[in-house]
Amino acid sequence: MDIRTQPLAAPPVAIHRADYVPPSWTVPDIALDFDLDPVRTQVTGRLSVVRQGAGPLRLDGDALVAETVTVDGTPAEWAMEGGQLVIDLVGDAHVVEISVTIAPEANTQLMGLYASDGLLCTQCEAEGFRRIMFFPDRPDVLARYSVRMTADRARYPVLLSNGDHVGSGTLPDGRHYAEWRDPFPKPSYLFALVAGDLAVNRDSFVTGSGKIVELGIWVRAGDLARTDHAMHALKTAMAWDERAYGREYDLGVFNIVAVSDFNFGAMENKGLNIFNSRYILADPDTATDLDYDAIATVVAHEYFHNWSGNRVTCRDWFQLSLKEGFTVFRDQQYSADQGSAAVKRIEDVRVLRAAQFPEDGGPLAHPIRPNSYIEISNFYTATIYNKGAEVIRMLHTMLGEAAFRAGSDLYFDRHDGTAATCEDFIVAMEDASGRDLSRFRLWYSQAGTPRVHAALDHDAPGGRARLRLQQAVPATPGQPHKQAMPMPLRIALFGELSGTKLLPEQTVIFDGAHQEILFEGIGERPMLSINRGFSAPVTIESDRSAAELAFLSAHDDDPFARYEAMQQLMVDTLVEDVATGTADHAAVIAAVKATLADPGLEPAFVAEAVTLPSEAYLGDQMLVVDPQAVTRAWDRLRRALGETLIADWRGTHAGMAAAGHAYTSAGKGMRRLRGVALGYIVASGVEDGPALAAAHFAAADNMTDRQTGLSALAMTASAQRDAAFAAFHARYADNGLVLDKWFQTQALAPRDDTIDVVERLATHPDFVLTNPNRLRSLVGAFAINQRAFHDASGRGYRFLGDMVVTMDRLNPQTAAKLVPPLGRWSRFEPVRSGMMRAELERVLATPGLSKDVFEQVSKSLG
Ligand code: TRP
Ligand code: ZN
């Protein structure tokens, strides 16, 4: 079988949301029999099919060849039509049996059944099941699955699938079998199996109603010691979902398997989550605090899908945000409850701005409920996930916790066991709260990040302040004209003289293109604190002065607003420098110094507040980006902060040294702030910078500090730098996840020669294209490093274009994810812009392109 993408005979066609029709046949039950082998796996499916409408039975298949097809036990007539197996059935209920042979080891797409590190595992979302068995592979066809697996006992001693284990035994010739049954009807995208030589960390959880759930985290034997954090996170998440949403787990078993080769983060298959090993494995020697945090978040996310995704699933893939936006919101709430809610909110907004805002402002912009797609895998985006979560958060803010919870309960009650739509979710929120959300629905249909202009003026004699709000939603592809959208804006006013809050915070629902809000009893000149907590996912434009921003950065009582004021001050300073070639750094330096000296602030918050916005984020603030000008301005401010505050940074670096490796909120915060201080010391250019970073690296008793030291050294041109990278590589040569950090740290280095380093690393023996983590750690990281990727030579563009073309033959889904950085061409100065476009055109002209890459590249060219 040819595992490579078939050449496109005709341009791929788009699927439209408006064309939805219910399935004409359902499949209440399916029995799957797997004779597992890495080279040739025989799969037989027995589908009970029931007529719901007119027409023949159509079953999706991708790279499958039917070997036998019977209907009710007799060989049947069938035909292949556009990838579908079509059978004309006369009655209303039949049993269809089909056999196919698949080749897991040749499956480099990592969709369907594939081999990873000697394991066999599956990934079916969104349309991978059709690479395993002919089936109506759409999320509104829910079936009860019985699975039987037969395999070599020595090579695959563990055989797992969804639901409950119902039988197993030995067979002749060193083989054995296992049978699993999932009592909950589910769509095919939630099917999973795993076969391999796995060790297990077992635990159990008692649900609120007293039911015992057997928990298992399955990994390679050598990784068992790194599973405790994930297990702890799982149990915490199970308890949290009962408390916060009243959701109990429903099966007697919950298994998680970690695999090394995985296209995404993890997958919520019913009762058998499959994870990218990077979101399971952690110990202090190999995982950073950020890894620990991400593991807890992703474990919780996949667990939460058991209700928001599995018990209530999606009618069609246009509804993807129904499960993903809601579940991201739920995992954000969970993580906020585990530590500092303020810091978590800052981190979530940073991710939104780094990943989703550029998407919303570029050629791939789409609403959280898209209207069409060519390849659904391209729509697992920051918009669907992160903006989707922001939209749910706005509902939560507008309705309040109690009504939101009532709406969520109603939604789960009403739609349990079915495939629902985003509209169903909104209606449940309306019914439970009595609110009219008609206009709020625009958030589901319109793309683009709204720009809100806020102007505050003061009528001193009248003791009144007037806030004038204006909003504009920018045009996006296919949506030239937009309507204003309702959004909750949390607002407060502070007195310029007294420095106190003049009124209690208000949540204003800004609904319309213009709105005026009057505040009475305002005697002194007020300063505006707006979009507190980032209550709406919008860009705020206000003409607040450096002095006002400095004040708010020191005194606002909303931590997010305080962080935001500092960020805005930094952005204004840097943008000024880019525009004019010079800027006054004094206000930023004073604000950073004050923040460092404030004893009331937690270190993690200070670390966030004093960190400069990234060069890429600065680029996003400009109509036309000149990356070299951004780099110059950024380096200048960073160096000035380092030099002027060198005593403060040294004091902070020394003062935070006692954090050790305890994974606690306080310990994490101290390590983070200490790392930020080290970065500024090195950036200041002081002579002992590299030596200090090398000492930080050498003395580390945990990966967070080691990684921090390495990143700081990566900025320098020093002998210590090369020594540290060599030592790091030698120490972790047999740990793939840590080697990813070795690649990533070099690819992210803010240096002029990063492009040379990256080109060289692409030929390193440890660089393998077939492992998505490794690819992302080098190529993905490089492409978000603005100064390196946009090297004036254009070599960065060529490098990425080559990678897209090469990867497309192996793994189209992962190749397509590399395209967006090139798609930002229209934002760059003309020379770079032209080179980026030319690269996209070269990719598009490549014969045999997958529809994944075709869609991303053709849309990027506009
Ligand atoms: N549903 C998964 C999640 O968000 C996402 C996912 C995992 C996925 N693997 C995938 C999506 C492969 C598309 C293709 O939790
Ligand atoms: Zn998800």
Side-chain angles (χ1 to χ4, degrees):
M1 192 197 313
D2 184 7
I3 54 104
R4 294 179 17 172
T5 315
Q6 302 298 317
L8 296 169
V13 286
I15 320 274
H16 296 271
R17 182 165 64 89
D19 293 344
Y20 175 82
V21 278
S24 49
W25 290 84
T26 57
V27 187
D29 290 281
I30 175 170
L32 286 166
D33 193 319
F34 290 86
D35 192 351
L36 292 166
D37 180 275
V39 178
R40 294 174 42 89
T41 287
Q42 183 89 33
V43 192
T44 302
R46 202 172 65 242
L47 290 66
S48 73
V49 300
V50 175
R51 185 185 291 281
Q52 300 290 313
L57 177 70
R58 294 180 174 275
L59 305 174
D60 301 299
D62 177 7
L64 291 183
V65 179
E67 285 154 6
T68 61
V69 179
T70 68
V71 173
D72 303 325
T74 38
E77 297 246 350
W78 54 277
M80 292 301 298
E81 283 176 21
Q84 290 184 319
L85 190 154
V86 183
I87 315 177
D88 256 316
L89 295 174
V90 288
D92 290 340
H94 298 277
V95 174
V96 176
E97 194 170 299
I98 303 172
S99 293
V100 300
T101 302
I102 53 184
E105 224 163 54
N107 182 352
T108 58
Q109 296 186 28
L110 314 184
M111 291 296 288
L113 178 67
Y114 66 93
S116 172
D117 261 342
L119 299 180
L120 296 177
C121 66
T122 56
Q123 171 56 41
C124 292
E125 187 176 8
E127 297 179 335
F129 189 76
R130 63 184 66 185
R131 296 167 54 78
I132 296 173
M133 177 47 62
F134 286 102
F135 195 80
D137 192 14
R138 42 187 288 169
D140 58 351
V141 173
L142 279 63
R144 266 183 308 266
Y145 282 67
S146 299
V147 177
R148 180 186 163 94
M149 291 163 280
T150 307
D152 183 81
R153 187 151 49 108
R155 206 163 165 187
Y156 303 107
V158 175
L159 301 172
L160 305 171
S161 189
N162 315 92
D164 301 309
H165 179 215
V166 293
S168 50
T170 53
L171 296 167
D173 302 326
R175 295 181 73 77
H176 71 149
Y177 73 92
E179 291 171 343
W180 292 73
R181 189 158 305 147
D182 182 357
F184 291 94
K186 64 169 175 286
S188 49
Y189 81 87
L190 291 173
F191 165 77
L193 76 74
V194 174
D197 188 0
L198 293 165
V200 62
N201 178 353
R202 281 192 198 280
D203 208 325
S204 64
F205 179 84
V206 182
T207 69
S209 65
K211 184 175 155 133
I212 298 171
V213 185
E214 301 298 341
L215 311 176
I217 299 185
W218 302 79
V219 298
R220 291 180 315 179
D223 288 329
L224 201 55
R226 300 192 178 113
T227 55
D228 288 341
H229 175 62
M231 182 60 87
H232 175 76
L234 174 59
K235 289 187 290 180
T236 315
M238 293 178 85
W240 187 90
D241 211 17
E242 293 188 1
R243 240 185 4 260
Y245 281 88
R247 299 294 121 199
E248 238 184 60
Y249 189 62
D250 48 12
L251 284 162
V253 197
F254 188 80
N255 282 319
I256 292 177
V257 181
V259 304
S260 314
D261 303 284
F262 201 72
N263 281 348
F264 277 69
M267 180 62 212
E268 70 263 25
N269 316 299
K270 183 80 187 186
L272 178 57
N273 287 187
I274 298 181
F275 271 63
N276 185 325
S277 57
R278 67 175 300 208
Y279 293 114
I280 290 294
L281 303 178
D283 64 18
D285 188 54
T286 56
T288 64
D289 293 333
L290 289 181
D291 294 327
Y292 273 77
D293 289 350
I295 287 166
T297 298
V298 178
V299 166
H301 178 100
E302 305 311 329
Y303 173 73
F304 296 157
H305 269 316
N306 191 57
W307 275 95
S308 50
N310 301 1
R311 289 288 289 257
V312 181
T313 191
C314 300
R315 186 193 72 173
D316 56 70
W317 291 120
F318 298 104
Q319 319 297 327
L320 182 59
S321 201
L322 174 69
K323 74 176 176 84
E324 295 304 347
F326 187 25
T327 304
V328 170
F329 175 63
R330 278 151 54 67
D331 81 53
Q332 289 178 350
Q333 287 182 301
Y334 160 81
S335 297
D337 275 2
Q338 308 305 310
S340 166
V343 172
K344 173 64 178 160
R345 186 66 186 134
I346 291 168
E347 290 167 352
D348 290 341
V349 174
R350 188 159 23 75
V351 169
L352 186 81
R353 285 173 167 165
Q356 199 277 325
F357 278 21
E359 189 168 270
D360 232 356
L364 300 173
H366 52 278
I368 67 167
R369 183 185 55 205
N371 293 318
S372 74
Y373 60 76
I374 291 175
E375 168 53 59
I376 186 56
S377 295
N378 287 332
F379 284 78
Y380 286 75
T381 58
T383 297
I384 303 292
Y385 278 67
N386 303 67
K387 186 176 183 178
E390 294 298 323
V391 170
I392 304 297
R393 183 180 294 269
M394 286 192 285
L395 282 174
H396 184 266
T397 303
M398 295 191 312
L399 270 47
E401 168 59 26
F404 180 85
R405 171 64 195 275
S408 154
D409 287 349
L410 182 60
Y411 165 73
F412 285 127
D413 282 356
R414 237 181 219 173
H415 301 288
D416 189 11
T418 72
T421 60
C422 296
E423 177 63 18
D424 292 330
F425 185 88
I426 306 169
V427 169
M429 287 288 158
E430 281 182 322
D431 290 353
S433 67
R435 291 277 279 254
D436 175 2
L437 297 171
S438 325
R439 291 185 47 76
F440 188 80
R441 283 168 170 78
L442 287 164
W443 283 99
Y444 284 84
S445 59
Q446 292 193 153
T449 306
R451 308 190 77 84
V452 173
H453 186 82
L456 183 68
D457 51 55
H458 184 218
D459 159 20
R464 263 192 301 270
R466 184 177 56 151
L467 176 63
R468 278 171 304 151
L469 298 173
Q470 276 176 50
Q471 69 164 297
V473 188
T476 49
Q479 298 189 329
H481 306 293
K482 302 289 173 68
Q483 295 180 53
M485 300 195 274
M487 64 184 77
L489 292 175
R490 290 171 45 201
I491 292 171
L493 300 181
F494 289 82
E496 197 178 61
L497 287 174
S498 63
T500 57
K501 194 150 72 172
L502 301 175
L503 292 168
E505 178 187 286
Q506 300 186 15
T507 301
V508 168
I509 308 298
F510 174 30
D511 185 5
H514 305 268
Q515 196 165 319
E516 279 194 14
I517 300 138
L518 278 180
F519 301 92
E520 304 284 348
I522 308 295
E524 58 180 308
R525 220 179 87 86
M527 291 180 288
L528 176 65
S529 172
I530 187 170
N531 208 21
R532 293 153 68 84
F534 203 70
S535 55
V538 302
T539 303
I540 302 284
E541 292 159 354
S542 73
D543 39 18
R544 292 177 295 180
S545 67
E548 283 178 272
L549 293 171
F551 173 84
L552 293 169
S553 83
H555 301 291
D556 200 316
D557 61 344
D558 177 70
F560 179 81
R562 199 169 164 175
Y563 157 85
E564 184 71 344
M566 178 83 94
Q567 290 289 299
Q568 193 60 53
L569 185 57
M570 290 169 167
V571 167
D572 289 352
T573 305
L574 288 162
V575 168
E576 166 84 11
D577 193 351
V578 172
T580 66
T582 169
D584 182 355
H585 294 149
V588 171
I589 291 171
V592 166
K593 188 172 174 68
T595 298
L596 280 174
D598 188 333
L601 295 173
E602 49 179 338
F605 176 87
V606 175
E608 289 289 348
V610 304
T611 298
L612 290 184
S614 72
E615 291 176 57
Y617 182 71
L618 278 171
D620 294 341
Q621 311 311 305
M622 293 161 192
L623 231 44
V624 178
V625 190
D626 171 355
Q628 273 158 322
V630 172
T631 293
R632 254 192 319 271
W634 197 86
D635 282 349
R636 208 144 47 201
L637 179 54
R638 194 160 151 80
R639 188 175 178 111
L641 277 164
E643 278 176 351
T644 317
L645 301 180
I646 187 71
D648 306 73
W649 299 124
R650 286 193 194 274
T652 302
H653 186 256
M656 299 282 144
H661 69 247
Y663 177 71
T664 58
S665 235
K668 277 195 306 186
M670 287 171 76
R671 285 185 292 272
R672 173 122 171 72
L673 181 53
R674 187 163 183 255
V676 171
L678 179 66
Y680 276 115
I681 294 170
V682 170
S684 75
V686 290
E687 215 176 312
D688 63 337
L692 204 66
H696 190 119
F697 173 80
D701 71 346
N702 63 83
M703 182 51 82
T704 304
D705 288 336
R706 198 168 291 127
Q707 162 81 73
T708 298
L710 195 65
S711 296
L713 282 169
M715 299 192 299
T716 71
S718 63
Q720 289 101 322
R721 171 188 198 269
D722 301 340
F725 275 98
F728 191 93
H729 187 277
R731 177 168 178 163
Y732 296 108
D734 59 359
N735 186 320
L737 293 176
V738 183
L739 282 188
D740 290 340
K741 299 181 193 301
W742 185 81
F743 280 98
Q744 185 181 18
T745 307
Q746 299 181 72
L748 288 176
R751 291 167 56 95
D752 292 341
D753 66 352
T754 292
I755 172 75
D756 306 318
V757 173
V758 167
E759 283 181 348
R760 217 176 314 123
L761 286 175
T763 65
H764 191 283
D766 290 329
F767 181 70
V768 284
L769 286 167
T770 45
N771 180 269
N773 288 356
R774 187 59 48 85
L775 182 86
R776 286 186 284 254
S777 72
L778 183 68
V779 185
F782 168 69
I784 60 164
N785 181 345
Q786 180 165 288
R787 83 170 74 180
F789 178 57
H790 294 280
D791 185 87
S793 64
R795 280 155 65 203
Y797 311 145
R798 162 116 335 202
F799 176 79
L800 192 64
D802 285 345
M803 280 293 170
V804 169
V805 169
T806 309
M807 261 322 276
D808 196 36
R809 299 177 194 287
L810 293 166
N811 184 336
Q813 202 178 98
T814 298
K817 291 230 177 60
L818 299 176
V819 173
L822 282 170
R824 313 220 65 224
W825 59 270
S826 70
R827 301 294 306 281
F828 285 81
E829 51 77 25
V831 176
R832 285 180 176 79
S833 186
M835 292 192 291
M836 292 167 82
R837 259 197 86 93
E839 207 51 52
L840 286 167
E841 270 155 6
R842 186 174 69 93
V843 173
L844 193 63
T846 308
L849 223 49
S850 69
K851 60 178 177 166
D852 310 57
V853 167
F854 172 83
E855 177 169 43
Q856 298 303 74
V857 174
S858 58
K859 287 183 175 172
S860 294
L861 282 165

